[in-house]
Amino acid sequence: MAAPRTLKTPIFTALDTAEVSEATGLAAKLADSSGGLKLGLEFFCAHGPKGVKEVQSASDLPIFLDLKLHDIPNTVAGAMRSVAQLGVFMTTVHAIGGQGMMEAAVKAATDTAYEFPVQRPLVIAVTVLTSFDANDLKSVGVGAAVTDQVRRLAGIAQRAGVDGIVCSPLEVAMLRQDLGPTIKLITPGVRPTWSVANDQKRILTPSDALAAGADYLVIGRPITAAADPAAAAARIAQEIAPVSSEKRVQATA
Ligand code: C5P
């Protein structure tokens, strides 16, 4: 079973917390205004599948479980079998794990979803972490420029059959051109004009990121740190509505 492709808004709110009560509280508040919720390693290492289920039952919103899996193909396939049983909307693997590892991840997700049956999670590849610059790449033996390495890894990920790529908003247009219209592009580093940038440096507004070709936006603090998180998410959803509905029309044309 493939995951449904339409959400009420393309915003995934990042719940960057290790506290179940904070995550479930935000999930309940955002049930009507966010498109989905992102849970990452901080939360998963503390609470595992049980914590994910608690968040799922607090809101019913699709979950982006951002685990950035990277190991030998057999181990990643095993991890993916467990992740797929959770019925999450999407999850991540590191493209640097290679084509064989990503193929194993996609196959495990597909087989598990068929067997249970649950919605198959979208398997999304992470290329070069945005905390890496050219010097960091060089220090681990990669002489390529960051952009070239992003493109190389994204191409390998696409050949492995992944459903999408996580990328910086400034890479969206380039990857959309390289990879074509069907692959999903997911971008953090998105900031509405009325919010503070925090520690994000390479940012676009939600509308600009969508117009450049992003499918889903990951937004954390502008929503979670707002006095009224539901109102902040609703405000962003309203701002992007013209661009999102235009994209929906194009997608179905
Ligand atoms: O609060 P903020 O909107 O900056 O949160 C963005 C989310 O996206 C966080 O969960 C962060 O870890 C994640 N992220 C990111 N940049 C990346 C990859 C993930 O900000 N390159």
Side-chain angles (χ1 to χ4, degrees), residues 10-42:
I11 305 164
F12 277 79
T13 304
L15 304 181
D16 288 315
T17 176
E19 302 300 324
V20 173
S21 57
E22 193 184 340
T24 54
L26 278 164
K29 280 185 196 155
L30 294 168
D32 295 324
S33 51
S34 187
L37 304 169
K38 181 176 90 87
L39 294 170
L41 283 170
E42 179 182 1

Side-chain angles (χ1 to χ4, degrees), residues 12-16 38 40 64 66 68 126 128-131 166-169 187-191 197-200 218-224:
F12 277 79
T13 304
L15 304 181
D16 288 315
K38 181 176 90 87
F64 172 12
D66 185 16
K68 298 189 177 71
V126 174
V128 180
L129 294 172
T130 46
S131 53
V166 178
C167 62
S168 124
T187 63
V190 177
R191 287 290 180 270
N198 308 111
D199 47 2
Q200 297 282 12
V218 174
I219 305 177
R221 288 160 291 179
I223 296 172
T224 56

Side-chain angles (χ1 to χ4, degrees), residues 73 77 98-110 156-157 159-162:
Q99 186 164 338
M101 187 205 81
M102 289 185 278
E103 283 169 354
V106 171
K107 181 173 187 312
T110 304
I156 296 169
R159 286 195 288 284
V162 305

Side-chain angles (χ1 to χ4, degrees), residues 133-231:
D133 64 14
N135 284 332
D136 294 311
L137 279 183
K138 209 167 161 198
S139 74
V140 295
V142 178
V146 172
T147 305
D148 292 339
Q149 182 70 353
V150 166
R151 296 175 100 158
R152 171 193 294 259
L153 290 173
I156 296 169
Q158 187 174 44
R159 286 195 288 284
V162 305
D163 302 287
I165 308 283
V166 178
C167 62
S168 124
L170 303 185
E171 291 160 355
V172 168
M174 171 186 87
L175 290 180
R176 179 57 70 213
Q177 198 170 6
D178 282 2
L179 306 175
T182 52
I183 200 146
K184 302 291 177 197
L185 297 178
I186 295 103
T187 63
V190 177
R191 287 290 180 270
T193 48
W194 42 267
S195 76
V196 291
N198 308 111
D199 47 2
Q200 297 282 12
K201 296 197 177 91
R202 300 163 67 215
I203 54 180
L204 282 188
T205 66
S207 300
D208 287 346
L210 288 172
D215 295 286
Y216 304 122
L217 310 175
V218 174
I219 305 177
R221 288 160 291 179
I223 296 172
T224 56
D228 183 344

